[in-house]
Amino acid sequence: MARIILTLVGPWDKPPAFETPFDLTPGGHDPSVIDDFRSLAGETEGLSEAELRAIADHRSTVVADLSFQGPGSTAAAGHAARLMQVAFDAGALGVRVETGIKVFGPGIRGELEPDEPKVLLHLLVEVLIDDEAVSTEGMQAFDLPDIVVPYGADDAESAQAVAFALAARMVCDGFRPVEGGVFRASESAPLYAVGRMGSASCDDPCPFENPNGAWRLDLKG
């Protein structure tokens, strides 16, 4: 069962009663919120200092949680975008996408298009880079596997490009990789062998773990 989990941060003493298929759990001021927002915003430059100060002064939070099934469906992601829209219209100070490790401020309001798959992909999925691999986080927003691309010393840029290209094709074009097959982002791009990885084991419940596991792309010699 795939999930999308959002945390809405607002100035409300009592959060509004949003109409949404998400399960909503209201809470009070959470001192840890500002550190999380500042850390993630620093990586993407997605929030201004003024927005971060407003988030630090928030009065309440709302955790929104939606479980669903439907590989490749954008319906749940569209509901997430609509919830963000109405939350910002109601004065929300920020939204943290827990299942995609992303944060947004009210400035994103005009860019939210609940029926546009490419927008939903950027909204709910992050591409992460560590010392060994590029990986996506949040593809369960479409009930699809994430993508892991190991890379060598000089291949981080190519690995990032192929990870995003495959994610976009899966969400926007309905493309489905085949285990044992190959994938390349374009005719001139490097060729990758496609393998499958299961989801990592974790104690139950594990709301942020993609139950679909991941596709692994290894550069072919």
Side-chain angles (χ1 to χ4, degrees):
M1 185 76 72
R3 296 173 79 175
I4 300 175
I5 304 174
L6 312 174
T7 296
L8 315 177
V9 179
W12 319 292
D13 291 318
K14 180 180 179 181
F18 301 114
E19 279 194 29
T20 178
F22 278 78
D23 292 327
L24 304 177
T25 303
H29 177 83
D30 182 352
S32 69
V33 159
I34 184 58
D35 291 335
D36 293 339
F37 269 84
R38 187 173 292 278
S39 174
L40 293 175
E43 297 176 7
T44 63
E45 298 182 353
L47 291 169
S48 69
E49 278 299 319
E51 289 173 325
L52 287 169
R53 285 194 297 270
I55 289 168
D57 292 334
H58 73 280
R59 296 182 181 179
S60 60
T61 61
V62 178
V63 176
D65 189 339
L66 179 62
S67 298
F68 66 98
Q69 287 182 308
S73 172
T74 61
H79 289 309
R82 292 184 184 91
L83 177 56
M84 290 187 194
Q85 285 179 328
V86 297
F88 285 129
D89 287 345
L93 304 170
V95 174
R96 184 172 60 195
V97 182
E98 307 289 359
T99 41
I101 318 181
K102 307 191 80 161
V103 292
F104 299 100
I108 195 70
R109 173 63 179 83
E111 302 175 26
L112 297 173
E113 299 182 46
D115 299 316
E116 178 50 60
K118 186 178 296 186
V119 171
L120 298 175
L121 175 65
H122 282 282
L123 190 68
L124 299 170
V125 178
E126 184 63 285
V127 179
L128 307 172
I129 305 176
D130 63 23
D131 293 336
E132 298 180 350
V134 172
S135 59
T136 63
E137 186 78 24
M139 287 290 284
Q140 67 167 313
F142 308 96
D143 200 9
L144 294 170
D146 276 295
I147 300 157
V148 176
V149 187
Y151 68 88
D154 301 319
D155 297 325
E157 188 173 336
S158 294
Q160 186 176 11
V162 74
F164 183 79
L166 179 53
R169 289 195 59 187
M170 289 167 64
V171 172
C172 303
D173 302 330
F175 177 78
R176 298 292 176 264
V178 176
E179 187 171 12
V182 294
F183 178 79
R184 63 179 4 137
S186 67
E187 291 185 4
S188 60
L191 187 66
Y192 288 82
V194 179
R196 192 66 188 264
M197 299 170 62
S199 59
S201 61
C202 62
D203 296 333
D204 186 56
C206 191
F208 310 124
E209 193 69 47
N210 190 337
N212 299 297
W215 293 111
R216 175 177 169 133
L217 302 184
D218 288 287
L219 185 64
K220 290 181 68 70

